């Protein structure tokens, strides 16, 4: 790792520490306000807590690490998360509030700290079809942690098909992508439709993915990779 990378990583760590340490300080910089109060915290639907372009720009300028933007749709909440670990195809991203999200080629395969967490998935068939921008019907399994501290497993069948090709511009990402749809049904869980934006190499650069009845849909946007 270069000195420049270390320096930027240090700046980013400082930014996250600043966000987390703001607490109830009424004099804190409003630039950090949305980031501190936003992600995984319920807010008034009429007054959503969004991250400003300035916060996003500062974060991207402070690190060379991969960065994503996450939104929990039902909670009107957003946060920036940076990669904190990589294990083969799996990348773990963390927020200032110490929630963790695991991605495999951009597909969310696990969460910690959200409540009703997605503990694990069996995603091989679905991910292969989405990355290949193909059409088909495949099995998909999600496992969730219940309030009773018991893991609940739900099996789905998902119809996958490509939609439009579009040009994507988000953060430092510029790419042509194929929009992929996965409509999934189960005898044990609610039906849902996931949405993925897949580039020419098969990486998912954006998605709206169902993470169970507690969390609902989560939107992931890759800002830097």
């Amino acid at each position: 790792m270069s000195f420049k990378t270390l320096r930027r990583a240090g700046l980013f760590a400082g930014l996250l520490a600043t966000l987390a340490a703001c607490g109830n300080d009424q004099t804190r910089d409003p630039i950090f306000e949305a980031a501190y109060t936003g992600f995984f915290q319920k807010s008034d639907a009429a007054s959503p807590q969004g991250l400003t372009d300035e916060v996003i720009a500062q974060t991207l300028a402070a690190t060379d690490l991969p960065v994503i933007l996450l939104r929990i749709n039902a909670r009107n909440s957003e946060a920036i998360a940076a990669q904190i670990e990589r294990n083969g195809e799996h990348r773990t991203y963390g927020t200032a509030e110490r929630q963790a999200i695991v991605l495999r080629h951009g597909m969310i395969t696990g969460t910690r700290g959200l409540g009703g967490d997605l503990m694990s998935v069996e995603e091989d068939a679905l991910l292969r079809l989405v990355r290949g921008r193909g059409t088909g019907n495949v099995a998909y399994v999600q496992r969730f942690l219940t309030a009773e501290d018991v893991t609940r497993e739900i099996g789905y069948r998902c119809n996958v098909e490509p939609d439009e090709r579009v040009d994507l511009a988000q953060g430092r990402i510029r790419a042509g992508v194929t929009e992929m749809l996965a409509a999934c049904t189960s005898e044990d869980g609610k039906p849902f439709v996931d949405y993925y934006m897949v580039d020419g190499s098969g990486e998912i650069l954006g998605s709206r993915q169902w993470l169970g009845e507690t969390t609902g849909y989560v939107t992931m946007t890759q800002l830097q990779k």
Side-chain angles (χ1 to χ4, degrees), residues 33-111:
E33 181 68 30
Y36 179 78
T37 61
F39 199 42
F40 305 125
Q41 298 183 27
K42 293 183 178 179
S43 60
D44 187 340
S47 180
Q49 299 293 327
L51 291 168
T52 66
D53 290 343
E54 190 170 6
V55 168
I56 293 171
Q58 284 186 343
T59 303
L60 297 181
T63 184
D64 292 327
L65 296 170
V67 175
I68 60 176
L69 176 65
L70 292 163
R71 177 178 176 83
I72 296 183
N73 299 353
R75 303 179 192 178
N76 278 335
S77 56
E78 293 181 327
I80 295 172
Q83 182 180 305
I84 56 176
E85 183 180 7
R86 181 170 185 177
N87 182 11
E89 296 180 333
H90 298 271
R91 299 187 181 206
T92 301
Y93 290 76
T95 75
E97 297 300 313
R98 299 194 179 187
Q99 289 88 8
I101 302 91
V102 182
L103 304 182
R104 182 184 176 197
H105 295 292
M107 179 178 286
I108 299 173
T109 60
T111 66

Side-chain angles (χ1 to χ4, degrees), residues 21-211:
C22 285
N24 293 319
D25 181 2
Q26 299 303 311
T27 65
R28 63 188 177 198
D29 192 323
I31 290 176
F32 300 119
E33 181 68 30
Y36 179 78
T37 61
F39 199 42
F40 305 125
Q41 298 183 27
K42 293 183 178 179
S43 60
D44 187 340
S47 180
Q49 299 293 327
L51 291 168
T52 66
D53 290 343
E54 190 170 6
V55 168
I56 293 171
Q58 284 186 343
T59 303
L60 297 181
T63 184
D64 292 327
L65 296 170
V67 175
I68 60 176
L69 176 65
L70 292 163
R71 177 178 176 83
I72 296 183
N73 299 353
R75 303 179 192 178
N76 278 335
S77 56
E78 293 181 327
I80 295 172
Q83 182 180 305
I84 56 176
E85 183 180 7
R86 181 170 185 177
N87 182 11
E89 296 180 333
H90 298 271
R91 299 187 181 206
T92 301
Y93 290 76
T95 75
E97 297 300 313
R98 299 194 179 187
Q99 289 88 8
I101 302 91
V102 182
L103 304 182
R104 182 184 176 197
H105 295 292
M107 179 178 286
I108 299 173
T109 60
T111 66
R112 298 296 184 270
L114 279 68
D117 278 313
L118 181 66
M119 303 304 292
S120 65
V121 297
E122 293 179 18
E123 80 286 3
D124 285 353
L126 176 60
L127 182 60
R128 183 165 53 249
L129 205 55
V130 169
R131 294 191 70 208
R133 288 147 289 170
T135 300
N137 183 279
V138 295
Y140 175 56
V141 175
Q142 293 183 321
R143 299 183 183 92
F144 299 97
L145 189 65
T146 69
E148 294 75 29
D149 202 28
V150 174
T151 301
R152 180 191 179 196
E153 180 176 298
I154 306 176
Y156 291 91
R157 296 296 305 186
C158 299
N159 284 314
V160 181
E161 62 182 32
D163 196 13
E164 298 180 341
R165 283 189 55 81
V166 298
D167 291 326
L168 187 67
Q170 52 193 35
R172 292 181 173 168
I173 303 295
R174 301 291 184 272
V177 297
T178 300
E179 299 174 335
M180 297 294 300
L181 301 176
C184 304
T185 58
S186 172
E187 295 182 356
D188 302 316
K190 287 187 176 182
F192 61 85
V193 179
D194 282 354
Y195 170 85
Y196 304 93
M197 294 183 290
V198 186
D199 71 8
S201 69
E203 291 298 305
I204 298 167
L205 301 181
S207 67
R208 186 198 69 170
Q209 189 171 332
W210 176 257
L211 297 188

